[in-house]
């Protein structure tokens, strides 16, 4: 399998501008306005219109109205129309038509066909999935359309009424903007109450001086929804679940975006502290220590074998693979190359990201048979990798972690705002020094992964690690783990 090329790395970052909702909104609004006005656009008036809309762009960047809060987004455009009596049916039809084209045909059909081999007929299903989507991407219809409509009406109002003094009710407009800002703050203050509760203190467990395991292998089934994992025909994963330690309430972080979750998993802390707030990374690299850093300081090695997005957070610790691959073979190639990396590097920590489940959820939905089929495929590939490690001696004194970084919601399998199916993830510990047949029903968080890895490998915790070590899973006096 090929590594991600420089072109793919740059292209992935560019795509995130359109994929992430916060950045998509201004790009789409300005593009629609220019397309609708064509060559006749007046540069000065366009500049004034953009400046007039800028405060609202900022408000909507700060307040993204997640989940059920998105229904409150229709109040500001209704208030603007009532205050200023401005309406432009043609412009809003342009916006609606271009939005449908971008999501259903460009993203949902062309993009997925060229990148992962999804059928050319994907538009016949994905339009229904977008209507249910609640995540933080540009495909969140209920969040994006009211924002877009208001911003376009504001720009059209500022553009069409002239540029001279006294041509606009700027004082009234300033009051309106202030009202939208206060309204947004109030809605979020009173109703945005489902963020995961954070651990307030840093990891307090006493570090161990002697390693409890020689190696930790973490296999991340990206975007694996917990109840679908439990329903799937996945006998090997369910064997690990029953004979290791399985967590019923292992919670992801907010926002539940892949790069955000991986950053929290391997630093042990939250987005506000490690600095990665979405898949759109403005400043490369986590700004705190990771478990990879701690291993390097001890002269040991950790490798994260994942997609190009993860380079933005972990840089040279990432050995990348190309995500431009048919979805029916991509995980097969990932696991084959993971074997090569294990033999070549012999790392103390090996992290493998499998992506086919996540991509199936995004392109075909999580409540359809195709999603269960991909979990079944993951099961077979993980069993094959486990047996290979056993034959090659890599399983000796090794702890295996099988988990998801986040779940997936209804609709296009979105993830970000912690809708149903996103919050809790499958999480299994199995192997050397791990208890057998334990099911943990207490609440835990994926920020405990990094300190638990550090504890097992006998290295200091990352400097800002907040998650407690998962000591309830560790049997320090047991004999070394048995193989399946």
């Amino acid at each position: 399998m090929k590594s991600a090329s420089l072109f793919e790395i740059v292209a992935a970052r560019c795509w995130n501008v359109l994929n992430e909702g916060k950045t998509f909104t201004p790009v789409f609004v300005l593009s629609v306005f220019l397309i609708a006005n064509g060559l006749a656009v007046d540069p000065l008036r366009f500049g004034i219109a953009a400046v007039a809309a800028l405060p609202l762009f900022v408000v909507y960047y700060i307040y993204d109205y997640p989940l059920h809060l998105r229904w409150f987004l229709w109040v500001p455009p209704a208030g603007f129309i009532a205050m200023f009596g401005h309406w432009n049916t043609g412009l809003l039809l342009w916006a609606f038509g271009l939005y449908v084209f971008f999501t259903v045909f460009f993203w949902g059909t062309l993009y997925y066909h060229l990148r992962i081999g999804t059928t050319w007929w994907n538009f016949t299903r994905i339009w229904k999935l977008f209507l249910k989507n609640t995540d933080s991407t540009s495909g969140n219809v209920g969040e994006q359309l009211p924002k877009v409509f208001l911003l376009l009406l504001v720009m059209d109002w500022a553009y069409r009424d002239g540029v001279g003094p006294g041509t606009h009710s700027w004082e009234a407009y300033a009051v309106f903007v202030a009202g939208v800002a206060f309204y947004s703050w109030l809605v979020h203050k009173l109703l945005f109450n489902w963020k995961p509760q954070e651990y307030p203190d840093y990891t307090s467990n006493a570090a161990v001086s002697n390693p409890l395991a020689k190696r930790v292998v973490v296999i991340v089934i990206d975007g694996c929804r917990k109840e679908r994992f439990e329903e799937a025909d996945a006998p090997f994963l369910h064997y690990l679940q029953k004979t290791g330690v399985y967590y019923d309430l292992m919670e992801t972080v907010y926002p539940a975006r892949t790069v955000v979750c991986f950053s929290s998993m391997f630093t042990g802390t939250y987005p506000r502290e490690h600095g990665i707030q979405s898949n759109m990374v403005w400043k490369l690299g986590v700004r705190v220590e990771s478990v990879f850093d701690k291993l390097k300081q001890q002269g040991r090695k950790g490798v994260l074998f994942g997609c190009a997005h993860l380079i933005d957070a972990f840089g040279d610790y990432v050995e990348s693979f190309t995500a431009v691959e048919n979805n029916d073979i991509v995980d097969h190639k990932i696991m084959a190359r993971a074997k090569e990396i294990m033999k070549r590097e012999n790392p103390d920590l090996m992290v493998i990201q499998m992506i086919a489940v996540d991509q199936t959820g995004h392109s075909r939905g999580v409540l359809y048979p195709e999603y269960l089929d991909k979990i079944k495929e993951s099961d077979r590939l993980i069993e094959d990798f486990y047996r290979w490690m056993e034959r090659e001696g890599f399983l000796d004194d090794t702890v295996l972690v099988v988990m998801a970084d986040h779940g997936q919601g209804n609709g296009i399998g979105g993830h970000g705002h912690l809708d149903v199916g996103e919050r809790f993830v499958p999480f299994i510990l199995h192997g050397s020094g791990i208890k057998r047949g334990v099911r943990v029903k207490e609440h835990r968080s994926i920020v405990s992964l990094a300190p638990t890895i550090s504890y097992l490998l006998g290295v200091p915790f990352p400097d800002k690690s907040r998650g407690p070590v998962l000591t309830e899973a560790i049997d320090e006096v047991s004999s070394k783990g048995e193989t399946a």
Side-chain angles (χ1 to χ4, degrees), residues 192-351:
F192 187 16
N193 56 8
W194 62 88
K195 274 189 181 182
Q197 186 174 356
E198 297 184 1
Y199 294 114
D201 302 315
Y202 294 120
T203 304
S204 60
N205 301 83
V208 296
S209 55
N210 296 316
L212 302 177
K214 178 182 178 181
R215 177 183 293 105
V216 175
V217 176
V218 182
I219 301 177
V220 183
I221 309 174
D222 197 306
C224 187
R225 182 163 165 158
K226 184 174 180 287
E227 86 266 14
R228 300 296 270 167
F229 166 84
E230 294 170 352
E231 294 168 6
D233 177 13
F236 182 70
L237 291 174
H238 293 162
Y239 166 82
L240 295 178
Q241 173 188 346
K242 292 173 183 175
T243 58
V245 178
Y246 184 68
Y247 286 80
D248 276 328
L249 295 174
M250 181 62 72
E251 189 174 29
T252 191
V253 294
Y254 185 92
R257 307 292 286 150
T258 295
V259 185
V260 179
C261 295
F262 269 78
S263 298
S264 289
M265 286 155 52
F266 295 106
T267 64
T269 190
Y270 301 98
R272 63 174 177 79
E273 200 159 35
H274 61 59
I276 306 298
Q277 302 282 346
S278 73
N279 284 349
M280 182 71 219
V281 178
W282 295 103
K283 184 178 181 181
L284 299 182
V286 291
R287 62 190 184 200
V288 300
E289 284 185 332
S290 71
V291 68
F292 302 107
D293 295 321
K294 303 310 291 186
L295 285 166
K296 185 177 181 180
Q297 291 167 14
Q298 300 289 314
R300 302 170 74 181
K301 177 170 285 190
V303 176
L304 199 174
F305 182 42
C307 64
H309 291 314
L310 298 178
I311 296 172
D312 293 352
F314 294 105
D316 292 339
Y317 295 121
V318 178
E319 183 142 350
S320 68
F321 56 72
T322 178
V324 183
E325 188 68 79
N326 189 291
N327 205 43
D328 289 333
I329 62 175
V330 65
D331 276 355
H332 294 263
K333 291 189 173 184
I334 287 170
M335 298 309 281
R337 187 160 161 224
K339 295 174 184 177
E340 297 173 5
I341 296 170
M342 285 279 286
K343 292 195 74 169
R344 185 183 76 227
E345 302 292 340
N346 191 24
D348 301 275
L349 170 62
M350 179 72 185
V351 182

Side-chain angles (χ1 to χ4, degrees), residues 417-434:
H417 287 333
L418 298 187
D419 195 5
V420 58
E422 297 179 42
R423 181 180 289 268
F424 295 104
V425 300
F427 190 97
I428 302 168
L429 282 163
H430 196 280
S432 177
I434 300 299

Side-chain angles (χ1 to χ4, degrees), residues 281-479:
V281 178
W282 295 103
K283 184 178 181 181
L284 299 182
V286 291
R287 62 190 184 200
V288 300
E289 284 185 332
S290 71
V291 68
F292 302 107
D293 295 321
K294 303 310 291 186
L295 285 166
K296 185 177 181 180
Q297 291 167 14
Q298 300 289 314
R300 302 170 74 181
K301 177 170 285 190
V303 176
L304 199 174
F305 182 42
C307 64
H309 291 314
L310 298 178
I311 296 172
D312 293 352
F314 294 105
D316 292 339
Y317 295 121
V318 178
E319 183 142 350
S320 68
F321 56 72
T322 178
V324 183
E325 188 68 79
N326 189 291
N327 205 43
D328 289 333
I329 62 175
V330 65
D331 276 355
H332 294 263
K333 291 189 173 184
I334 287 170
M335 298 309 281
R337 187 160 161 224
K339 295 174 184 177
E340 297 173 5
I341 296 170
M342 285 279 286
K343 292 195 74 169
R344 185 183 76 227
E345 302 292 340
N346 191 24
D348 301 275
L349 170 62
M350 179 72 185
V351 182
I352 306 165
Q353 179 195 22
M354 303 177 73
I355 62 173
V357 170
D358 183 73
Q359 293 184 156
T360 299
H362 287 315
S363 59
R364 300 293 286 166
V366 298
L367 302 180
Y368 290 83
E370 296 101 315
Y371 189 77
L372 289 178
D373 290 343
K374 280 300 165 198
I375 299 175
K376 177 180 178 180
E377 179 182 272
S378 299
D379 176 80
R380 307 303 188 265
L381 290 170
I382 292 172
E383 180 177 15
D384 174 76
F385 189 79
Y386 182 96
R387 302 300 180 194
W388 174 84
M389 287 198 299
E390 190 175 31
R391 291 192 303 271
E392 297 291 328
F394 286 116
L395 206 57
D396 298 340
D397 297 338
T398 292
V399 172
L400 175 65
V401 182
V402 179
M403 64 177 295
D405 50 343
H406 53 74
Q408 289 193 305
N410 298 340
I412 64 165
H415 50 89
H417 287 333
L418 298 187
D419 195 5
V420 58
E422 297 179 42
R423 181 180 289 268
F424 295 104
V425 300
F427 190 97
I428 302 168
L429 282 163
H430 196 280
S432 177
I434 300 299
K435 294 176 181 177
R436 295 177 63 87
V438 174
R439 192 153 185 159
V440 179
K441 298 184 180 297
E442 291 77 23
H443 176 272
R444 296 291 185 268
S445 168
I446 62 171
V447 298
S448 282
L449 180 64
T452 300
I453 292 170
S454 295
Y455 190 85
L456 290 167
L457 295 179
V459 299
F461 302 126
D463 61 347
K464 300 299 181 182
S465 172
R466 292 181 179 272
V469 175
L470 301 174
T471 52
E472 66 275 359
I474 300 171
D475 185 0
E476 298 183 32
V477 298
S478 71
S479 60

Side-chain angles (χ1 to χ4, degrees), residues 150-204:
L150 172 61
L151 291 161
L152 282 172
L153 287 175
V154 166
M155 287 189 67
D156 191 61
W157 168 79
Y159 180 86
R160 294 191 180 279
D161 283 356
V163 298
T167 54
H168 291 81
S169 302
W170 292 115
E171 294 83 0
Y173 179 65
V175 171
F176 172 78
V177 171
V180 173
F182 177 75
Y183 171 78
S184 299
W185 172 84
L186 187 63
V187 166
H188 285 71
K189 179 74 174 177
L190 297 178
L191 300 176
F192 187 16
N193 56 8
W194 62 88
K195 274 189 181 182
Q197 186 174 356
E198 297 184 1
Y199 294 114
D201 302 315
Y202 294 120
T203 304
S204 60

